[in-house]
C-alpha cells in the first residue's frame, strides 16, 4: 500500500499506532490521540506508556508467542488537556516480518469520542428508562391496591343501598296503600285542603317507591342478580298497556301519544315485566321532557337486523345537548336540559333500561337534537316457532 494512502486512512479514521520489538520497546510511532504524545515514546516500554496495559503483560506475551490473536480495549475514557472527556479504543496485534514470524507488537489507538458519548447517552437513557419502569411498576402496584379497595368499598356501598332499599320499600308501600285508601272517592269526610295535603304525601311516597325500586334494580344489575323469565310475548299488547297506564301523565300536560304498530308482527322473546319497565321508562321520559301540548310517538316494527323487533319512541321535547349524549346511559347522570320542563329524576332510569335491553340480547341507541326532540330505539329478539310452541316460561329463565 502507498505510504501516503496509508497515512490518509489513518488520519481520516483518527487512528495512531506504535510498533515494538519482541521486548515491547517502542521502535516506531505515528500520530496523536488523546494526551498521548508519541514522540516521547520512542525507546520506551509500551506498557509504561499506556497505563491501560498494566496487568496485561501475560496477554501481550501470548500475542508475541502466537497463542493469542489480539488484545482489545473498547471505549477507554481519558481526560484531555482542556478538562473534557475523550474516548479511545485500543487494540494490540502481532507485528510480523516478511516470513510471517512475529517480531513485535502493533499498538493501535483510535479516537472514538463521538461513539463513546453516544454510548454514554444510550446507557444514561437506558438507566433512566429502567428507573421509570420501576416507578411505573410501583405506581401500578399502588393502583391495583387502590382499585381493590375501591371495589371493596363499592361492594359495601351496593350492599348498603340494597339493604336500605329493601327496608324502605315495605313501609313505603304500606304508607302509599293507606294514603290511596284515604283518597278513595267514597271517603267524603275530607275537605279539599285535606285531600290536597294527602295527595301531596301520596305523590311523595310514590316517588320514593320509584327511587327505591331503581336503586334495587341498579344494585342487582351491578351484582349480576337480575333474572329474566323469557317467553313469547305480544310486544304490541305490552306497548298498548304501558300507553294506557301513562295516559293520566299525558293528559296532565295536554300531550298526545300516537301508537303505530306494523301488521303481522311475530312474538318477541322477552320478560314481560322487565319489558314493561323498559317501555315505561322510555315513554314516561318522553312525556316528562316534552313541554305541554307536545306529542310522543311509539312505533313497533320488524328490525332491519334479522331475528329482531324494533321499538322506536320519539318526542317533540327539549332534546339532549351533544356534550351530554355520550354520558346519557351512565348512573345518576341527567342531561343539562332535564330541568327545563321541571321534571324530576334520579338519573338511573336510562342506565337500568340499557342494561335490561342488553340482558335480553338487544341493543339500544338514540338520536337527539337540542330543542327538536329525541328518538330512542331498542330491539328485542323474535321468538322462533319452537319457542312459541313451549308454554313454561321457567324453561327460558336467564340470569345476568
Amino acid at each position: 500500500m502507498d505510504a501516503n494512502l496509508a497515512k490518509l486512512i489513518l488520519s481520516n479514521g483518527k487512528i495512531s499506532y506504535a510498533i515494538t520489538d519482541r521486548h515491547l520497546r517502542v521502535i516506531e510511532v505515528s500520530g496523536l490521540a488523546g494526551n498521548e504524545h508519541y514522540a516521547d515514546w520512542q525507546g520506551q516500554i509500551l506498557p509504561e506508556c499506556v497505563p491501560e496495559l498494566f496487568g496485561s503483560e501475560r496477554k501481550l506475551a501470548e500475542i508475541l508467542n502466537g497463542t493469542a490473536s489480539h488484545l482489545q480495549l473498547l471505549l477507554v475514557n481519558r481526560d484531555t488537556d482542556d478538562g473534557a472527556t475523550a474516548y479511545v479504543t485500543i487494540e494490540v496485534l502481532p507485528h510480523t516480518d516478511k516470513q510471517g514470524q512475529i517480531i513485535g507488537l502493533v499498538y493501535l489507538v483510535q479516537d472514538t469520542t463521538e461513539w463513546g458519548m453516544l454510548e454514554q447517552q444510550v446507557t444514561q437513557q437506558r438507566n433512566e428508562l429502567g428507573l421509570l419502569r420501576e416507578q411505573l411498576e410501583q405506581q401500578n402496584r399502588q393502583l391495583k391496591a387502590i382499585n381493590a379497595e375501591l371495589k371493596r368499598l363499592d361492594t359495601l356501598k351496593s350492599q348498603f343501598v340494597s339493604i336500605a332499599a329493601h327496608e324502605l320499600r315495605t313501609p313505603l308501600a304500606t304508607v302509599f296503600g293507606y294514603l290511596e285508601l284515604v283518597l278513595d272517592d267514597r271517603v267524603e269526610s275530607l275537605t279539599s285542603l285535606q285531600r290536597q295535603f294527602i295527595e301531596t304525601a301520596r305523590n311523595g311516597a310514590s316517588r320514593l317507591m320509584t327511587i327505591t325500586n331503581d336503586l334495587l334494580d341498579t344494585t342487582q344489575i351491578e351484582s349480576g342478580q337480575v333474572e329474566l323469565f323469557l317467553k313469547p310475548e305480544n310486544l304490541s299488547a305490552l306497548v298498548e298497556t304501558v300507553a294506557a297506564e301513562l295516559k293520566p301523565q299525558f293528559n296532565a300536560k295536554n300531550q298526545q301519544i300516537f301508537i303505530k304498530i306494523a301488521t303481522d308482527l311475530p312474538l318477541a322473546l322477552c320478560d314481560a315485566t322487565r319489558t314493561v319497565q323498559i317501555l315505561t321508562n322510555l315513554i314516561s321520559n318522553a312525556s316528562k321532557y316534552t313541554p305541554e301540548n307536545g306529542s310522543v310517538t311509539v312505533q313497533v316494527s320488524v328490525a332491519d337486523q334479522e331475528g329482531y323487533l324494533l321499538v322506536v319512541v320519539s318526542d317533540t321535547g327539549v332534546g339532549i345537548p351533544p356534550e351530554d349524549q355520550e354520558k346519557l346511559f351512565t348512573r345518576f347522570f341527567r342531561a343539562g336540559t332535564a330541568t327545563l320542563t321541571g321534571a324530576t329524576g334520579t338519573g338511573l332510569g336510562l342506565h337500568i333500561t340499557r342494561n335490561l335491553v342488553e340482558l335480553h340480547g338487544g341493543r339500544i341507541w338514540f338520536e337527539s337534537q337540542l330543542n327538536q326532540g329525541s328518538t330512542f330505539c331498542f330491539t328485542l329478539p323474535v321468538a322462533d316457532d319452537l319457542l312459541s310452541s313451549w308454554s313454561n316460561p321457567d324453561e327460558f329463565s336467564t340470569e345476568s
Side-chain angles (χ1 to χ4, degrees), residues 230-236 238 265-271 275 309 380-384 388:
L230 304 177
K231 68 174 184 177
E233 295 285 355
N234 187 333
L235 187 56
S236 304
L238 297 180
L265 288 177
L267 298 178
L269 182 63
C270 63
D271 181 311
T275 302
L309 294 176
L380 290 175
V382 170
D384 59 30
S388 299

Side-chain angles (χ1 to χ4, degrees), residues 159-362:
Q159 292 174 348
F160 169 78
V161 171
S162 179
I163 293 171
H166 273 292
E167 293 297 321
L168 286 172
R169 185 164 60 174
T170 299
L172 279 173
T174 302
V175 170
F176 182 80
Y178 278 117
L179 291 173
E180 284 277 88
L181 184 61
V182 172
L183 289 172
D184 193 310
D185 290 338
R186 291 172 293 181
V187 179
E188 299 178 355
S189 60
L190 294 176
T191 66
S192 60
L193 184 59
Q194 289 172 333
R195 182 173 293 276
Q196 180 182 345
F197 288 159
I198 294 175
E199 286 178 348
T200 300
R202 180 197 61 184
N203 294 338
S206 177
R207 284 195 297 271
L208 284 175
M209 287 179 63
T210 300
I211 293 172
T212 301
N213 289 331
D214 285 348
L215 288 172
L216 279 173
D217 284 340
T218 300
T219 56
Q220 288 175 350
I221 287 170
E222 290 175 349
S223 60
Q225 296 177 353
V226 176
E227 189 172 10
L228 301 180
F229 294 93
L230 304 177
K231 68 174 184 177
E233 295 285 355
N234 187 333
L235 187 56
S236 304
L238 297 180
V239 170
E240 295 282 4
T241 298
V242 172
E245 292 177 352
L246 294 176
K247 193 66 176 175
Q249 179 178 331
F250 281 86
N251 291 340
K253 299 178 70 174
N254 196 30
Q255 295 171 337
Q256 290 182 300
I257 180 170
F258 301 101
I259 308 296
K260 299 180 180 180
I261 298 175
T263 58
D264 300 324
L265 288 177
L267 298 178
L269 182 63
C270 63
D271 181 311
T273 301
R274 292 300 189 178
T275 302
V276 166
Q277 184 177 358
I278 293 168
L279 291 167
T280 301
N281 280 341
L282 293 178
I283 298 174
S284 176
N285 276 355
S287 172
K288 285 198 300 184
Y289 301 117
T290 296
E292 293 184 1
N293 303 313
S295 64
V296 174
T297 301
V298 183
Q299 302 176 67
V300 185
S301 61
V302 175
D304 292 337
Q305 183 181 3
E306 184 177 356
Y308 285 85
L309 294 176
L310 172 68
V311 179
V312 179
V313 180
S314 56
D315 61 57
T316 58
V318 295
I320 303 164
E323 63 272 15
D324 289 345
Q325 294 186 7
E326 289 187 1
K327 299 174 284 186
L328 196 63
F329 289 111
T330 56
R331 291 181 302 170
F332 303 109
F333 179 79
R334 300 189 73 204
T337 53
T339 58
L340 294 180
T341 60
T344 59
T346 60
L348 289 173
L350 287 177
H351 171 71
I352 294 170
T353 298
R354 183 191 65 179
N355 281 278
L356 291 178
V357 169
E358 292 176 350
L359 283 174
H360 279 84

Side-chain angles (χ1 to χ4, degrees), residues 14-17 30-38 41 78 86-88 107 109-111:
K14 298 181 179 179
I15 300 172
S16 302
Y17 71 89
S30 175
L32 174 67
N35 281 340
E36 296 174 347
H37 297 277
Y38 289 98
W41 286 20
R78 292 176 174 173
Y87 291 87
V88 296
Y107 166 82
V109 58
Q110 182 179 14
D111 186 345

